[in-house]
Amino acid sequence: MHSLHLRARPRLLAAFFSVLLLTSCAQVPPGTLLDMDHPLAGRLWDVAAGRFIDEAELLRRAGQAEALLLGETHDNPEHHRLQLRILQTRLDAGARPALLMEQFDNDQQAAIDEARKAGKDLAPLMRGWDWTLYRPLVALADSTRIPLRAANLPRGATRPVVREGFATLAVGEQRRLALLAVWDDARQTYMTGLIEASHCGKVSPQLRDGLVLAQRLRDATLADSALDQLDRGVVFILGRGHARRDVGVPRYLEARRPGTRVLSIGFVEVGAGNTAPAQYENERIGGIAPYDVIWFTPRAERPDPCLAFGKQARLPSATPTP
């Protein structure tokens, strides 16, 4: 028998199994938003139609969606402010959707339910995320007594997949989660390039391919968390990459429950000098627009993420075991 053993230093292990996000999770100090006066900041772009829309039109569409995905950059406080505003508007209109959060792992659901019932703070259950950014959303869910669902896959559950692939999943899981049904070469090429870029090129081919598998499994798991709540409607709080229609959660929702009414909103940071909407998130995998609507926002000031990467991250080679 051969198996893979991770004997890397703790810092490298953290790089291996960092949350599979396409954006930074670093905390941003208050008052550090940039490009507040950018001509696109605050505007909403209908990607498929290629035109700007107003907030009233966006909220009308949100009211018709069974699955509303609010795709954030995790450390941008403006994105969380807008998520809260959209959720509050839905509640004010009489909707009582389930709030599904990537920031809680699905093995925590019982603990979340117990803590909410007892009126306890959920901060201790939020692993590796900035609680201050998500507290208002949780508080709104509590005050309105809507369901709060832990939607993410625990990091430990992705490790076997990163090392050894989907063969480590329980029998029938690949089919049940539609992991193969939604995928093709174009999506594989896109996701491979994205993982390489997000790791600043400092990732071995073996690890890169494992991380692609783990990203796919997370998207499928996030979609799975919504299926029993779609009749009442769901609002997803999740990273922008997960919200993409062409490679993310909506692909799995459509495969598992065809015809589900989905609205994907990508909160996208503006960039200096980029004033045309088509300059942003314009790659369409399989001819599918990545989002229904892009909501442009100021960008958060953050250090260069590539400074955190040193030597190429790789999985150790297989070694024999007794």
Side-chain angles (χ1 to χ4, degrees):
M1 290 286 293
H2 288 73
S3 63
L4 292 173
H5 289 278
L6 294 180
R7 298 190 297 266
R9 295 185 300 275
R11 179 178 62 81
L12 192 54
L13 280 170
F16 287 166
F17 300 116
S18 59
V19 180
L20 300 175
L21 307 169
L22 310 182
T23 54
S24 169
C25 287
Q27 296 183 19
V28 177
T32 54
L33 288 177
L34 305 176
D35 294 323
M36 299 282 288
D37 58 351
H38 191 284
L40 290 178
R43 303 194 72 183
L44 289 82
W45 179 252
D46 183 320
V47 181
R51 65 182 180 88
F52 290 108
I53 61 172
D54 59 22
E55 189 172 337
E57 171 65 12
L58 176 76
L59 295 174
R60 184 190 67 78
R61 296 186 192 179
Q64 297 174 344
E66 295 171 292
L68 176 61
L69 290 83
L70 306 180
E72 63 186 42
T73 298
H74 300 298
D75 62 355
N76 190 315
E78 178 67 2
H79 294 186
H80 301 293
R81 187 184 72 82
L82 294 174
Q83 288 171 332
L84 185 67
R85 190 159 100 199
I86 292 171
L87 179 59
Q88 182 69 70
T89 301
R90 295 292 303 117
L91 294 169
D92 289 346
R96 286 297 179 267
L99 182 64
L100 275 55
M101 297 187 67
E102 178 194 357
Q103 294 71 30
F104 292 110
D105 296 340
N106 58 21
D107 63 350
Q108 298 176 295
Q109 190 63 57
I112 289 170
D113 293 343
E114 182 178 345
R116 295 184 79 199
K117 185 176 180 180
K120 294 181 179 178
D121 193 353
L122 297 187
L125 297 176
M126 189 164 277
R127 303 165 176 167
W129 302 82
D130 184 352
W131 169 246
T132 61
L133 293 174
Y134 298 97
R135 180 194 295 133
L137 285 160
V138 172
L140 181 57
D142 286 342
S143 66
T144 55
R145 298 184 178 182
I146 61 173
L148 174 61
R149 301 293 295 269
N152 204 3
L153 192 66
R155 185 177 300 181
T158 67
R159 287 174 176 152
V161 171
V162 172
R163 294 168 178 154
E164 300 177 44
F166 288 155
T168 62
L169 298 177
V171 174
E173 277 296 274
Q174 288 190 57
R175 180 181 295 274
R176 187 183 74 84
L177 293 172
L179 284 164
L180 302 182
V182 307
W183 213 244
D184 56 27
D185 290 344
R187 289 174 173 83
Q188 181 69 21
T189 298
Y190 169 79
M191 191 63 72
T192 297
L194 200 60
I195 293 295
E196 286 183 342
S198 67
H199 288 75
C200 306
K202 303 293 186 179
V203 59
S204 71
Q206 185 184 9
L207 176 57
R208 176 204 65 204
D209 292 346
L211 292 174
V212 169
L213 293 176
Q215 182 77 7
R216 291 168 58 188
L217 182 58
R218 287 189 185 278
D219 285 330
T221 300
L222 288 163
D224 189 61
S225 72
L227 293 181
D228 66 347
Q229 299 290 316
L230 286 173
D231 288 343
R232 69 180 300 147
V234 301
V235 174
F236 269 107
I237 304 298
L238 72 179
R240 198 172 74 243
H242 293 302
R244 286 185 66 119
R245 272 189 167 274
D246 49 357
V247 296
V249 173
R251 292 280 299 168
Y252 297 90
L253 286 174
E254 176 61 27
R256 300 284 303 279
R257 202 180 95 162
T260 298
R261 298 189 303 277
V262 173
L263 183 71
S264 176
I265 303 172
F267 298 106
V268 174
E269 296 181 330
V270 297
N274 295 336
T275 59
Q279 293 176 294
Y280 297 82
E281 306 284 346
N282 59 2
E283 188 170 9
R284 302 184 181 206
I285 313 306
I288 300 172
Y291 311 104
D292 296 298
V293 176
I294 288 176
W295 193 321
F296 291 106
T297 76
R299 59 188 174 93
E301 185 176 18
R302 60 180 66 90
D304 182 352
C306 291
L307 296 177
F309 288 89
K311 295 181 179 180
Q312 185 183 59
R314 64 178 69 246
L315 284 170
S317 59
T319 55
T321 60

